[in-house]
Amino acid sequence: MVLGGTERGYFTAQSKDFENNLIVYLKGEIGCSPIASIFKDVGPYRLVDNGITENYYAWNKIGNLLFLELPTGGGFSQNATASNNDEAASQIFSALKLFLKNLYLISGDYSAEIVALMSRNVLDLIDQQKLWYQEFPLKGLIFNGVWNENYQFDSLTEFAYVKGYTPQKDYEGMNAACPSCAKVRSYDCPYHDPANQVCQQIAGKLNQKFFNPGLDKYNIYDDCYYVRTNGLVVYPENVNVFISSDQLNGLGCQIDEQIHAYLAKPIVTLALQINNSSQKFNVCQNNTSFLKDYNFKNNLPYILTHPVYVKNGIQTLILNGDTDFVYNHIGVERFVAEIANGNNINMTLDTELWWFNFDSSLYLPTVGGYVTQYNSLVYSTIKGAGHWIGLNRPMQSLQIVNNFMKGENYSIDLSKIDLKPALNQKESLKKNQKDEKKKDDRKRDSKEGEPVTRKDQDRIENLPGIKLSSHFSQFSGYLNGLGSHKMHYWFIEAMVNSSTAPLVLWLNGGPGDSSLYGMFYENGPFLLNGDGTLRENPFSWNQFVNILYLESPVGVGFSYTEDPTENVTWSDTNSMEENYSALLDFLNVFSEYKNQDLYLIGESHGGIFVSMLASKVINAVKSGEMSVNFKGFATANGVIDYRQNLNSMIHVLYYHGLMPNSVYMTLLDLCCPPDSNEFKCQFSDHVDFPTFPNPKYPNDTCFELLVENVWKYYENTPNNGYNIYQDCYRKSVNESTNMIPVENAENEFESYWCHMEQSLRSYLRRDDVRQALHIPSNVQVWQEKSIINDYQRQTFTTSPYFEIGIDAGIKMLIYNGDTDLHCNHLGSEWFASELAIGKGLQIKEERTEWYYQMDEFYLKRVAGYVTKYQGNGHDQGLDVVTIKGGGHLSGTDRPAQLFQLIYNFINGSDYSIPVHIDPPTNPTSPSKPSKSSSLKKFWFIFCVILLSYHWIIGE
């Protein structure tokens, strides 16, 4: 495949467990093609007489596998595009920036020099903050065939002697000609030393004997029985391999010729998207103009001790087949030891054997090779392998590389890797996974024979209750949280231009409330009917953004821990880390969204979640740990400061007529300084927030009266704390359950408040819904248990996190429905004012009305009030907005107004500008948008189409 002028062969991981890994194969000499190794080393194919067959031990069993052509000529490239290491390294780096996955680079032969130089340069760029680590997430370097001329030259004599290839007489004669070697160990004998030309020449002649046509220099134990026919050396078709010493049954004996022939077929070049059909593939071609520079000896220790390498836990593995003459393992081992010893890289494990096994429960182990470990550097041999470790010992090389990538003991067997042929994996999944029927159906979106990605597996195909097909894609599955935690997410793509629309992460609070509350109550594409069906939400935010709903922390909704014995610790800090981990995993699974604008929005305690997460993301982007276009965050009736919320709550209760004057005045007398403005009263000074809700002082009468009256007039009241003016008229269905009436549930918003919670619980606890959302059968019932009493509140003000946002120059929005008691707008306003004074923010716009307007034909209506602050040196700042008539769930109470507010926030527009959304032309399937002047016109057209449809089919 040709991308950006560079030839590549890309193979997706055959298991979703490894899809975040990208193994980049770059092994090759100058002028030689790594593409050839698709067939001769670790790739998924082997060439046979009648075409190709599968390599069951290909490395795309453990990751996505990319074969990248070197810019030094060879392959389909007629001309080299690089003339030296620097140019080659730069071009390879440019090609790899297209792939945002965990990168493992395998190189060898001369390409090890280029890759080492490129890695060194990349680490420097990251350290200089000219490149973010997430743009080039290097996880490991794998070298197979490391060259140092002196060590190879000096060691080969002993290597060949011990292996039985050099007679004793010749070896002793060489030492006699090298007097300096008589008093030192053989590994200290410098046969290469030009000061002793006689010694050097004798050693050179002995070494040269090993490179003759009758000996496979790349695997001294691999035999091929060629014949000469019509002047050509060929491998005969009917060799009796059972009585020969050809271990591979001729597999590698004509591999280069077979590759040439196969890749010359027009149907193959067409399939590989080779633009020039006259371009012939060459496994290797002569390139004498490339300026070689052997500097691996200096580049590798520079890499191993680089602060970016150390900080990010990058590892290096040097592999060597022990039957390779060209890069003999003795010379490589000595070379590695010199690098380690000369640069104070400590040995952590002296050489010991590692075991190979398919499955330890069924087979006895065999020796796979020998391994030596240093800090962040591992050297290992593979017993019986030659230069092409994937050709000679495919199982062993797969095992050691898999364990290296996972950071596990190298003797862990292959039992956890599916070694069955890829063509049969679909059938095996059906047999072994009882709950996977729906997932098999989703494979129709993938090309035949290709593995299904996590994204494809999470795609929602048939959501129960939908009366019409959705005109957008949606996904439900699990993201990796902390440790064994699996975080359930529901991702809704934008109806229009999802590939460019911003990405919003929505988090509800509680702590312990599912983010699916926000999806179904406020801003998602569906509203609930009382009969278990769904209807479309005309004010769904996915008309202009992609929305990720994450059920956090673990234990909430469908999120769970894989360790049933775990005693989970719930806290603000853990929630931040959990949300960050899940976000990173999401951007790995849905990597196409990494370059799109990212916003975080959190409701209630989610205000703490998103402000803390925002600071984490800002710092991660700054350090290079994460690469995203983070634009800003918003708190939605959020918990942002416990002190100011309490200080303002007494006033909100009183001035909304919910607290008697006598109680109010008594509180002022007991808690506030005399002759002071009551709104300066710090009720919060009487609370010890680190041990919330305990008193700060013993025997504090103010505290006791606060607790008594906050409980009486706030917590234990028939008023709806989420919206002071929202009432539901309930009726009992039976003696044990006070159910909610649903008679009017079909009307768009009438009585929605009153039945939405019961309807959502019923809906998400249905078996068919769980199956559609890919929820494992062992996962708890949705929202079965509350975690709020076990949750450790650690953050009582978000001011430090807003300050980080201000310094970073991102957009920030605090919005509150003005009928909310839980997180009242007055406390938010006080918090923002205090923050602005502390950070020296300027008032960009004094508090004023903002207006909602359905479209230009309607008069404007006051939607709320807005104050805008501007950060020093930044265009962006902090906006504080109220939503008139909105409660804690402003998207339920004032969906149209909030729709306009969020749209303009994200697009950087005045909040009073009416919103015009271009809807899809076909509401039943994804398509390009058509022009429309307003949402109202869209819904009118939609209804006409729907009525016409019913008329045509006779309903």
Side-chain angles (χ1 to χ4, degrees), residues 95-340:
L96 290 180
K97 285 184 69 177
L98 295 172
F99 299 91
L100 298 176
K101 291 183 179 291
N102 297 334
L103 286 175
Y104 296 87
L105 308 182
I106 177 168
S107 61
D109 305 344
Y110 189 79
S111 74
E113 296 287 343
I114 298 172
V115 170
L117 176 61
M118 180 191 71
S119 301
R120 173 178 180 153
N121 294 341
V122 165
L123 295 177
D124 283 343
L125 288 173
I126 295 172
D127 193 42
Q128 298 162 11
Q129 296 187 3
K130 296 179 180 178
L131 174 75
W132 298 120
Y133 180 68
Q134 286 299 116
E135 293 180 286
F136 201 93
L138 182 63
K139 295 295 184 182
L141 297 170
I142 303 172
F143 297 102
N144 174 215
V146 173
W147 179 260
N148 179 275
E149 185 174 4
N150 293 340
Y151 278 104
Q152 285 297 317
F153 187 92
D154 292 348
S155 62
L156 187 56
T157 53
E158 286 86 20
F159 181 80
Y161 176 58
V162 174
K163 294 283 186 179
Y165 286 85
T166 296
Q168 181 181 10
K169 178 183 176 182
D170 291 348
Y171 178 74
E172 291 177 350
M174 178 187 64
N175 279 330
C178 303
S180 60
C181 297
K183 298 180 180 180
V184 296
R185 301 291 186 187
S186 60
Y187 54 78
D188 288 330
C189 187
Y191 297 114
H192 69 279
D193 189 355
N196 192 336
Q197 293 186 3
V198 174
C199 178
Q200 185 187 57
Q201 290 173 359
I202 294 175
K205 288 180 180 179
L206 286 177
N207 289 347
Q208 194 61 36
K209 290 182 179 181
F210 310 131
F211 301 99
N212 67 71
L215 181 67
D216 188 339
K217 60 185 178 181
Y218 293 113
N219 188 335
I220 55 178
Y221 301 118
D222 191 15
D223 296 312
C224 289
Y225 297 92
Y226 298 105
V227 297
R228 187 178 296 276
T229 302
N230 298 325
L232 300 176
V233 175
V234 299
Y235 189 84
E237 295 182 2
N238 299 313
V239 174
N240 187 348
V241 296
F242 299 105
I243 60 172
S244 76
S245 56
D246 176 7
Q247 302 177 74
L248 300 176
N249 298 347
L251 183 61
C253 293
Q254 273 195 300
I255 187 68
D256 287 352
E257 292 77 9
Q258 289 174 315
I259 292 171
H260 279 293
Y262 181 76
L263 294 180
K265 295 179 179 180
I267 191 172
V268 175
T269 57
L270 179 64
L272 296 178
Q273 305 176 43
I274 304 301
N275 296 326
N276 186 355
S277 59
S278 64
Q279 238 175 285
K280 300 302 181 184
F281 184 88
N282 290 307
V283 174
C284 289
Q285 67 183 36
N286 191 29
N287 182 355
T288 58
S289 62
F290 192 92
L291 181 61
K292 292 185 177 181
D293 180 17
Y294 290 92
N295 202 30
F296 187 90
K297 179 179 179 180
N298 295 319
N299 285 334
L300 183 61
Y302 184 88
I303 291 169
L304 297 176
T305 56
H306 198 286
V308 175
Y309 181 96
V310 175
K311 175 183 176 181
N312 290 284
I314 303 171
Q315 297 289 312
T316 296
L317 171 64
I318 297 178
L319 289 174
N320 241 89
D322 62 8
T323 66
D324 183 5
F325 253 1
V326 179
Y327 296 85
N328 79 78
H329 66 93
I330 300 297
V332 175
E333 182 180 22
R334 293 176 181 175
F335 180 38
V336 171
E338 185 201 36
I339 289 175

Side-chain angles (χ1 to χ4, degrees), residues 850-880:
W850 69 278
Y851 296 91
Y852 169 72
Q853 193 173 11
M854 189 176 296
D855 63 29
E856 60 272 18
F857 298 104
Y858 288 81
L859 297 177
K860 295 185 293 185
R861 304 294 295 178
V862 173
Y865 294 85
V866 56
T867 306
K868 293 189 175 184
Y869 298 94
Q870 186 173 13
N872 296 323
H874 298 294
D875 292 334
Q876 306 299 336
L878 171 64
D879 295 347
V880 183

Side-chain angles (χ1 to χ4, degrees), residues 5-115:
T6 303
E7 287 74 20
R8 302 180 175 97
Y10 185 79
F11 304 91
T12 55
Q14 293 185 21
S15 168
K16 67 178 182 179
D17 295 334
F18 303 101
E19 64 184 11
N20 291 328
N21 298 332
L22 176 60
I23 304 168
V24 184
Y25 190 98
L26 295 157
K27 180 178 177 180
E29 288 288 354
I30 297 298
C32 294
S33 168
I35 296 290
S37 291
I38 293 173
F39 306 98
K40 68 188 296 183
D41 199 4
V42 300
Y45 301 123
R46 292 287 185 256
L47 291 171
V48 293
D49 291 337
N50 59 349
I52 61 174
T53 187
E54 184 179 353
N55 173 18
Y56 303 145
Y57 310 104
W59 287 10
N60 67 324
K61 297 279 187 179
I62 56 175
N64 301 285
L65 183 57
L66 171 67
F67 293 83
L68 183 64
E69 203 78 282
L70 297 172
T72 60
F76 284 112
S77 303
Q78 296 296 319
N79 300 308
T81 58
S83 60
N84 55 54
N85 287 358
D86 286 317
E87 292 178 359
S90 177
Q91 292 179 31
I92 293 172
F93 168 70
S94 297
L96 290 180
K97 285 184 69 177
L98 295 172
F99 299 91
L100 298 176
K101 291 183 179 291
N102 297 334
L103 286 175
Y104 296 87
L105 308 182
I106 177 168
S107 61
D109 305 344
Y110 189 79
S111 74
E113 296 287 343
I114 298 172
V115 170

Side-chain angles (χ1 to χ4, degrees), residues 752-778:
Y752 191 60
W753 244 108
C754 300
H755 79 87
M756 60 186 185
E757 181 176 3
Q758 182 65 37
S759 295
L760 183 58
R761 287 182 181 273
S762 298
Y763 182 76
L764 291 178
R765 292 179 178 185
R766 286 165 46 178
D767 290 341
D768 58 341
V769 174
R770 287 175 61 101
Q771 187 176 19
L773 299 181
H774 320 127
I775 308 302
S777 58
N778 63 310

Side-chain angles (χ1 to χ4, degrees), residues 946-955:
L946 180 61
L947 289 172
S948 299
Y949 172 78
H950 285 293
W951 177 77
I952 291 171
I953 64 174
E955 293 186 2

Side-chain angles (χ1 to χ4, degrees), residues 901-921:
L901 176 74
I902 296 299
Y903 180 90
N904 288 325
F905 167 68
I906 286 178
N907 287 279
S909 303
D910 188 281
Y911 294 122
S912 295
I913 295 178
V915 176
H916 302 289
I917 297 293
D918 293 328
T921 56

